[in-house]
Structure formats: C-alpha cells, structure tokens
Amino acid sequence: MKKFLALLLSAVMVFALVACGGGGGTTEPATPAAPATTTPATPATPAEPATPATPATPAAPAAADMKVAMITDYGDITDQSFNQTTYEAAKSWSESNGVDFTYFKPASDSDDDRVAMIEKAIDEGYTVIVMPGYAFGPAIVATAPEYSDVTFIALDVSAGDLGDGFQMPANLYCAVYQEELCGYMAGYAAVKLGYSKLGFLGGMAVPAVVRYGYGFVQGADAAAAADGKTDVSIKYAYGNQFYGDGDITAAMDTWYAAGTEVVFACGGGIFTSAGEAAAKVGGKVIGVDVDQAPTIDGLYGANMTVTSAMKGLAATVNTLLTQVKDGSFAGGKVDTLGLVSANPEENYVQIPMGSTQWSDSFSKDDYKALVGDMFGGKVTVSNDITKAAGDFATVTTVEDLGNIK
C-alpha cells in the first residue's frame, strides 16, 4: 500500500508548494504555553463564511477509540505561528478530554515524508490527523481516500491545493480563512493609530499571504480616506520564503532607515527580519496568524508590536475535535471561515483585544464598531488576488517592490 501511495503521490507533486522540515517521528515534549485566542475568489464581497461543520453522517472514530496526531508542515512546534498554535490547541484539547495525543515531524520538506508521517501515525493507532498548512495538499490526496476510517482535519488547505477533480471524502474537513478581513483590520488600525509610512513584507506570494496583503492595503487606504489623509504610503514586497535571513533583514534596514514606521510581517518566521531591523531604529511590527506580541516584544523590545492579524486556528481545532468526539463531525467539504458575529472575539479572523496598542484615535470601541460594520455589510473587502496591490489604493501610495529574493 505504501509503495502504491508513493506512486500516487508522485503523480500529484505538481500541487506541492512549500515546506522546510527536519527530524522524524517525535516523542511528546514538555507542555508549551497555552495558545492565544482564539480562496482566491472574485472581487466582490466574500461569501458569508460557515461555522465549522454542521452535523451530518459522521465518518469519525468512536470517542472511546479516539487518538489525535498532529503533523507539522515546513516548520516545527516552536515556530510561533501555524504549527505551534495548532500543536498547542490540539494538545490542550486532548489533555482536557482524556484523549491520547502526539505529533510527528516529517524528516524533510517533501510530500513523501509528509505521507510517511501520516502513515506512521495511522500505523500507531491514531484515528484523527490534524495538519496545518496548504503544503499538505498532495499528501492528503494520497492518504485521505485510502484511510476512510481515519478523520483528517486540514487547516488552510483549499480546494485548489487538493487539485482539480479531487473528490472530497467524508472523512476529510478543510478550513480556509478570509485573511483579507483581518488584514484589513490591521491596516485600518495602523493608520488610525497615527502611522503613515507602512510596509508589507509577505513570505511567499501564495493566495493566503496575498489576501492578507491586499486586505492590509484596503484597510490602510480606507482609514486614510476617512481621515482625509493623503500622505499614507506602503512599501510592498515578498521575501519569497517563510523565514527571515540576512538579505531580508538588510532590505528591512533600508525600509526603516528611509522612514517606514511599521511593517506587517506576514509569513511564518519572516517576522524575525522585520523585528531585527525595527529594533535598531525604534520601529514597529504587525504580527500575523496568531497574537505575536509576546514573541516579537519578547525578542526585540517592549511595545514593538502594534497589533496582529489573526486566524482562529485554535478555535477551529477545538470545535472540530469536539465534533469528532461527540459524533457530530461532518467532513467532505472545504469551509471558508471569517466573520460569524458583530462581537470581534467570536470571529475566526480578528486582531487581539489584549495586545493591540489602542489609543484615543482608535479604541476598542472603534474596533468593535468597525467589525460591526464589516459583519453587517456596510464595509466590504475584496479578495480578488488577480489584481495588483496598488489597484486597491485610492488615496494611498503603494510601492510594489516584488520579491526581495
């Protein structure tokens, strides 16, 4: 079967995108800190997001037999982003519910090794496989249909990552997020808080990162227009990788030296380059995916993080594992998760109430009003990634610098 799966996987390699692993199967490490709270489409207002899984005929293991395994993608469980948040949420839920849990790290950044870890987990009796990141697309195609008695939960894996013609099996649930919405919130907040020289540093120009960036531009532009500002500018670039290095830090040094005040660092560990550069000149950073203030401020200086554009990764994991346990899990679909309430903290995309640097010019109440307008349809955000970043600017100057590397 494994040889067959390897052959099948090679046929779908064209869909693979990112990764950078190391190691092999793992043993359970010490408990980390508790998690933080918590497609390409058309240029219109996104379709109303769904709350994960409504009850249907479950394709899940019996609760008594439930064992949860998380597989890391190109990072590891200390990446302060997707992997760590998913790991901590799955581990915490499992401990609270008396369910066995472990994680596995692929030996390398390859679809073969991701498949190997999925199979290893299944061979060891794990009945629920949790996978963060679109790099899992080909591995899911190769395994989920073959192991119909195992539940697969994939975060940030879209229909496009699974490939044309793939038929979603009932044991697979995929969640994608409306990154453009929390990107908008972060850009709007930055300008309302008084920043006018902004930067967007994306990892790779994959759909999720592009949606973050385009939402950021739209939010900054809307805030500038509302305040009658014509001096707001955004430097816009991708590092072409999901980690910081000397070359990207040097580029960020140039940005901050030229007057950039705050950079939205959007892409896994690439925040390190923005943080290192900002620390030299008293600059600021905006985090991504989770509340990165504890990490960025801890590494580079207090009050460096203006806010973070967050996805509800932990909330998604908790909801879905609970549904597997109680028998209400409904797979066979890709759900797009975003705003489900006018209450910011109930949504799957948001900025943090606790660590955002609120002021009289943009308070918690102002943020709640903004979310209410977004949820009610008064404020709309485009998720059209076929355009250029500058196409979304009306009073803001966008300098598109392409790839740094």
Side-chain angles (χ1 to χ4, degrees):
M1 173 62 72
K2 294 182 182 179
K3 292 182 178 180
F4 171 75
L5 290 176
L7 291 172
L8 176 59
L9 179 60
S10 65
V12 297
M13 281 285 287
V14 68
F15 303 115
L17 292 171
V18 304
C20 93
T26 66
T27 57
E28 187 68 17
T31 303
T37 55
T38 53
T39 33
T42 58
T45 303
E48 184 174 338
T51 300
T54 53
T57 303
D65 301 324
M66 186 176 177
K67 295 179 65 176
V68 178
M70 177 236 174
I71 316 294
T72 62
D73 64 349
Y74 54 85
D76 58 40
I77 62 167
T78 61
D79 66 0
Q80 305 295 330
S81 187
F82 249 58
N83 287 283
Q84 182 168 344
T85 302
T86 304
Y87 166 81
E88 290 174 352
K91 178 178 172 60
S92 176
W93 183 93
S94 297
E95 290 177 345
S96 297
N97 287 273
V99 171
D100 286 346
F101 170 78
T102 194
Y103 83 102
F104 297 86
K105 182 176 180 179
S108 72
D109 171 20
S110 74
D111 297 309
D112 286 330
D113 284 328
R114 280 185 277 274
V115 167
M117 289 299 99
I118 291 171
E119 290 187 321
K120 178 176 175 62
I122 294 171
D123 287 345
E124 293 183 10
Y126 289 90
T127 59
V128 182
I129 309 297
V130 181
M131 300 158 290
Y134 68 93
F136 278 99
I140 290 169
V141 171
T143 55
E146 295 296 319
Y147 297 98
S148 59
D149 57 342
V150 174
T151 301
F152 290 79
I153 296 171
L155 307 179
D156 240 27
V157 176
S158 69
D161 300 321
L162 299 171
D164 294 338
F166 178 73
Q167 298 297 312
M168 289 282 293
N171 61 322
L172 170 63
Y173 174 94
C174 298
V176 293
Y177 299 86
Q178 291 180 290
E179 294 91 356
E180 68 276 5
L181 300 185
C182 52
Y184 183 101
M185 296 170 193
Y188 190 92
V191 172
K192 282 288 187 178
L193 289 169
Y195 299 101
S196 60
K197 305 300 181 186
L198 314 180
F200 174 80
L201 172 63
M204 299 180 73
V206 297
V209 175
V210 176
R211 289 195 295 271
Y212 268 129
Y214 286 7
F216 183 72
V217 172
Q218 291 175 74
D221 188 68
D227 288 349
K229 296 179 179 178
T230 58
D231 62 343
V232 175
S233 63
I234 303 173
K235 292 184 181 296
Y236 193 104
Y238 298 97
N240 206 30
Q241 61 191 39
F242 287 110
Y243 54 92
D245 66 10
D247 292 335
I248 298 174
T249 300
M252 293 300 99
D253 285 336
T254 301
W255 285 18
Y256 283 107
T260 296
E261 299 165 302
V262 57
V263 172
F264 180 17
C266 178
I270 205 166
F271 76 87
T272 58
S273 282
E276 289 171 12
K280 298 171 187 175
V281 296
K284 303 290 186 179
V285 177
I286 293 172
V288 75
D289 290 336
V290 298
D291 183 358
Q292 288 193 312
T295 299
I296 295 173
D297 291 0
L299 288 171
Y300 305 112
N303 300 316
M304 179 180 286
T305 312
V306 173
T307 189
S308 296
M310 305 190 307
K311 299 178 182 179
L313 301 172
T316 308
V317 170
N318 290 335
T319 297
L320 291 167
L321 291 180
T322 297
Q323 290 175 349
V324 173
K325 184 174 184 290
D326 67 21
S328 65
F329 174 85
K333 61 184 175 181
V334 178
D335 268 349
T336 300
L337 306 179
L339 301 181
V340 296
S341 171
N343 181 348
E345 295 183 289
E346 293 178 357
N347 292 317
Y348 286 95
V349 288
Q350 56 183 272
I351 60 176
M353 295 291 284
S355 64
T356 295
Q357 295 181 7
W358 310 108
S359 74
D360 291 341
S361 62
F362 190 66
S363 65
K364 291 182 179 180
D365 286 340
D366 294 327
Y367 169 52
K368 291 176 182 178
L370 172 65
V371 173
D373 286 344
M374 295 173 73
F375 180 68
K378 183 177 179 180
V379 172
T380 60
V381 185
S382 173
N383 61 356
D384 182 4
I385 64 171
T386 67
K387 295 184 176 182
D391 292 339
F392 296 101
T394 61
V395 298
T396 301
T397 301
V398 178
E399 184 180 3
D400 193 335
L401 300 172
N403 285 328
I404 294 173
K405 300 185 70 174

